[in-house]
Amino acid sequence: MFRWTVDSAARNAAPMPHDDHDHSVLPPDPALRVKALETILTEKGLIDPAALDAIIDTYQNKVGPQNGAAVVARAWTEPEFHAALMADATAAVSEMGFYGRQGEHLVAVENTGDVHNMVVCTLCSCYPWPLLGIPPAWYKSDAYRARAVREPRVVLSEFGVTLPDETKLRVWDSTAEVRYLVIPRRPDGTEGWSVDDLAAIISRDAMVGCGLVTVPA
Amino acid sequence: MSRIHDMGGRFGDGKVEVDAPDAPVFAEDWHARALAVTLACGALGQWNLDTSRHAREKLSPRDYTRFSYYEKWMAGLADLLVAKGVLTREELTKGHADGPSQLAERCLVAENVPSALSKGGPVDRPSDVAAKFAPGDRVTTRARARNTLVDGGHTRLPTYAQGATGTILRLHGAHVFPDSNAHGLGEAPEPIYAVVFDAAELFGAPERVGDEVILDLWQSYLSPA
């Protein structure tokens, strides 16, 4: 984790006259910085600490990749839902109760033997929250953001994924408010599985296009 | 001129460190608080999503590089709170409020969290800007990835895709234009498209001939090829 140097702490204690970054007057330790903001905002009546707990509970316990997995498993097993999802993903998943912040405009893209889809946000960390939750650290990392567009196949190899040369790779850079869900390929050997059993093997990484769905040995 | 966040296609960042599938959603408690404080402050309605993205992009390259993810969020938030007059720099320095805020009636209370999060903030709007392009049309992006309304302002055309020619894949509808909206210049909704580019067009030598990169781009960024 980042630790401030003595130099930057000293600079912090006495901001330069031309330093127009107000954040530099906050405490150097990040945990204390957050606490300071929370304290000031609570004293001003601008935030309700119980609301913060409710937001955290939502993304820690309620909204996560299990939602996306339920969507994918249903798309694999219900041709009508699959068609609806590909035509208008926002409407199709809203029907399942999955709509909200960072998922207002959804598009589903499907992996086949011919095309593999992979999603990145090179400019920040845009991600379909209602379906996959808060993005993992790797998705927000400089390495992924910088490299996923230029050398996606090398990046995929770092996830243990090797694509055959006949498969075209399409990388979707989420530069707007459209959020992409990758529908991975359904693995062989899952014929007749229940939706719940299928959902259990669909990983978050597969729904970003950085993993494949496999049948556990 | 460019900004540090615009890193697509950059060399030198090393391997992606993949989190374990069962890694916690928030590695540290303060990460969770940082996210929650940011969302709760957004609910005060003093800025929009584009403004808050720009606040993070405006961090100095030095801060952007050395700050961890949620530290960037905190820094961008602190800067915005002062810039918009919600807090004063003196309050930030002291760590305590000088008094209650007139905005307190807008405070997001716990019982309204579920509806606020599930309501979201759609950005599709009616627009009188007609769509100039249709799927299959060839288009070229702006020669320079820059905000033409505000020098050094927010834009969503990455540098790696500037001056590149691609093909319209789909029309998403008309969405709020970030280059305008981030700076209080109005939502200015206009058509936005998924545009597909050959990787060779963007980067010269692609990893595999025929691989593609797709970006969502506003009509203002595009001209007929």
Side-chain angles (χ1 to χ4, degrees), chain A residues 105-117:
Chain A
H105 309 284
L106 289 163
V107 170
V109 293
E110 186 166 33
N111 288 347
T112 66
D114 297 328
V115 181
H116 181 92
N117 298 279

Side-chain angles (χ1 to χ4, degrees), chain A residues 43 125 150 153 165 170 175, chain B residues 9 69 96-97 208 212 216:
Chain A
E43 287 174 0
S125 53
R150 186 191 280 264
R153 286 171 189 260
D165 205 45
R170 276 191 154 173
T175 47
Chain B
Y69 182 75
H96 287 284
R208 170 195 170 277
E212 295 172 338
D216 289 325

Side-chain angles (χ1 to χ4, degrees), chain A:
Chain A
M1 187 188 300
F2 163 75
R3 290 277 178 265
W4 282 43
T5 62
V6 173
D7 278 358
S8 60
R11 184 179 69 89
N12 216 32
M16 298 298 287
H18 298 295
D19 182 357
D20 64 348
H21 284 107
D22 295 298
H23 65 260
S24 62
V25 303
L26 284 166
D29 179 81
L32 294 180
R33 217 175 303 164
V34 178
K35 189 71 198 161
L37 272 178
E38 190 179 334
T39 300
I40 304 166
L41 289 160
T42 304
E43 287 174 0
K44 293 191 83 71
L46 294 172
I47 58 174
D48 170 10
L52 304 189
D53 294 339
I55 292 169
I56 293 166
D57 179 53
T58 301
Y59 293 111
Q60 210 156 35
N61 302 312
K62 295 174 181 161
V63 175
Q66 67 274 13
N67 293 0
V71 170
V72 171
R74 197 175 161 198
W76 280 350
T77 52
E78 282 182 39
E80 279 180 19
F81 179 75
H82 176 271
L85 182 70
M86 299 314 291
D88 184 346
T90 315
V93 307
S94 292
E95 220 173 83
M96 297 174 71
F98 306 143
Y99 178 82
R101 194 185 172 88
Q102 288 299 306
E104 297 90 347
H105 309 284
L106 289 163
V107 170
V109 293
E110 186 166 33
N111 288 347
T112 66
D114 297 328
V115 181
H116 181 92
N117 298 279
M118 175 177 169
V119 183
V120 63
C121 172
T122 62
L123 295 173
C124 44
S125 53
C126 297
Y127 193 75
W129 288 16
L131 296 178
L132 300 183
I134 300 298
W138 64 257
Y139 186 83
K140 302 179 286 202
S141 69
D142 286 5
Y144 187 74
R145 287 169 55 190
R147 296 173 54 227
V149 285
R150 186 191 280 264
E151 47 179 12
R153 286 171 189 260
V154 178
V155 169
L156 284 180
S157 75
E158 290 159 15
F159 286 84
V161 173
T162 307
L163 291 183
D165 205 45
E166 61 266 27
T167 301
K168 174 163 80 175
L169 183 54
R170 276 191 154 173
V171 180
W172 300 76
D173 189 354
S174 310
T175 47
E177 297 310 320
V178 179
R179 299 288 170 267
Y180 292 93
L181 176 74
V182 175
I183 311 297
R185 296 177 74 184
R186 179 173 175 172
D188 293 338
T190 58
E191 298 75 16
W193 283 33
S194 72
V195 171
D196 288 347
D197 287 345
L198 288 169
I201 62 168
I202 299 165
S203 70
R204 171 194 65 205
D205 294 0
M207 294 183 279
V208 186
C210 289
L212 306 177
V213 180
T214 55
V215 177

Side-chain angles (χ1 to χ4, degrees), chain B residues 97-108:
Chain B
D98 285 334
S101 169
Q102 292 181 335
L103 295 170
E105 61 186 27
R106 296 179 181 229
C107 174
L108 176 66

Side-chain angles (χ1 to χ4, degrees), chain B residues 15-101:
Chain B
K15 275 191 166 187
V16 176
E17 289 178 29
V18 182
D19 319 35
D22 58 352
V25 175
F26 300 107
E28 307 276 350
D29 287 346
W30 69 265
H31 293 181
R33 298 311 275 182
L35 176 121
V37 170
T38 302
L39 298 196
C41 287
L44 297 171
Q46 301 305 293
W47 55 79
N48 58 54
L49 186 61
D50 297 308
T51 308
S52 63
R53 282 204 185 108
H54 189 54
R56 290 170 211 148
E57 297 165 5
K58 276 198 305 185
L59 295 174
S60 71
R62 185 164 176 260
D63 281 350
Y64 195 96
T65 304
R66 65 188 177 149
F67 282 172
S68 63
Y69 182 75
Y70 286 111
E71 287 180 279
K72 294 195 231 330
W73 278 43
M74 282 297 91
L77 177 64
D79 291 345
L80 263 185
L81 286 166
V82 175
K84 300 293 181 186
V86 179
L87 302 181
T88 64
R89 189 175 172 121
E90 290 66 38
E91 288 175 313
L92 282 189
T93 309
K94 278 192 302 190
H96 287 284
D98 285 334
S101 169

Side-chain angles (χ1 to χ4, degrees), chain B:
Chain B
M1 295 290 282
S2 62
R3 286 196 189 273
I4 186 78
H5 71 284
D6 183 7
M7 62 181 70
R10 182 173 79 185
F11 286 114
D13 285 284
K15 275 191 166 187
V16 176
E17 289 178 29
V18 182
D19 319 35
D22 58 352
V25 175
F26 300 107
E28 307 276 350
D29 287 346
W30 69 265
H31 293 181
R33 298 311 275 182
L35 176 121
V37 170
T38 302
L39 298 196
C41 287
L44 297 171
Q46 301 305 293
W47 55 79
N48 58 54
L49 186 61
D50 297 308
T51 308
S52 63
R53 282 204 185 108
H54 189 54
R56 290 170 211 148
E57 297 165 5
K58 276 198 305 185
L59 295 174
S60 71
R62 185 164 176 260
D63 281 350
Y64 195 96
T65 304
R66 65 188 177 149
F67 282 172
S68 63
Y69 182 75
Y70 286 111
E71 287 180 279
K72 294 195 231 330
W73 278 43
M74 282 297 91
L77 177 64
D79 291 345
L80 263 185
L81 286 166
V82 175
K84 300 293 181 186
V86 179
L87 302 181
T88 64
R89 189 175 172 121
E90 290 66 38
E91 288 175 313
L92 282 189
T93 309
K94 278 192 302 190
H96 287 284
D98 285 334
S101 169
Q102 292 181 335
L103 295 170
E105 61 186 27
R106 296 179 181 229
C107 174
L108 176 66
V109 294
E111 65 188 45
N112 291 337
V113 166
S115 64
L117 295 181
S118 62
K119 196 173 67 179
V123 295
D124 53 327
R125 300 281 187 276
S127 170
D128 52 13
V129 181
K132 279 190 206 166
F133 307 112
D137 286 355
R138 297 281 286 165
V139 291
T140 299
T141 60
R142 281 178 173 166
R144 294 286 173 264
R146 57 181 286 262
N147 186 319
T148 59
L149 307 170
V150 176
D151 200 30
H154 183 63
T155 190
R156 296 293 287 182
L157 173 61
T159 303
Y160 78 82
Q162 69 186 8
T165 297
T167 305
I168 301 282
L169 196 62
R170 63 188 287 166
L171 170 65
H172 291 303
H175 286 189
V176 170
F177 188 41
D179 300 43
S180 171
N181 197 43
H183 301 284
L185 300 175
E187 293 192 327
E190 60 169 72
I192 173 170
Y193 309 85
V195 185
V196 56
F197 298 89
D198 194 298
E201 165 74 2
L202 299 174
F203 301 117
E207 276 186 315
R208 170 195 170 277
V209 173
D211 281 352
E212 295 172 338
V213 180
I214 296 163
L215 296 88
D216 289 325
L217 300 173
W218 280 262
Q219 186 159 286
S220 288
Y221 301 162
L222 305 171
S223 54

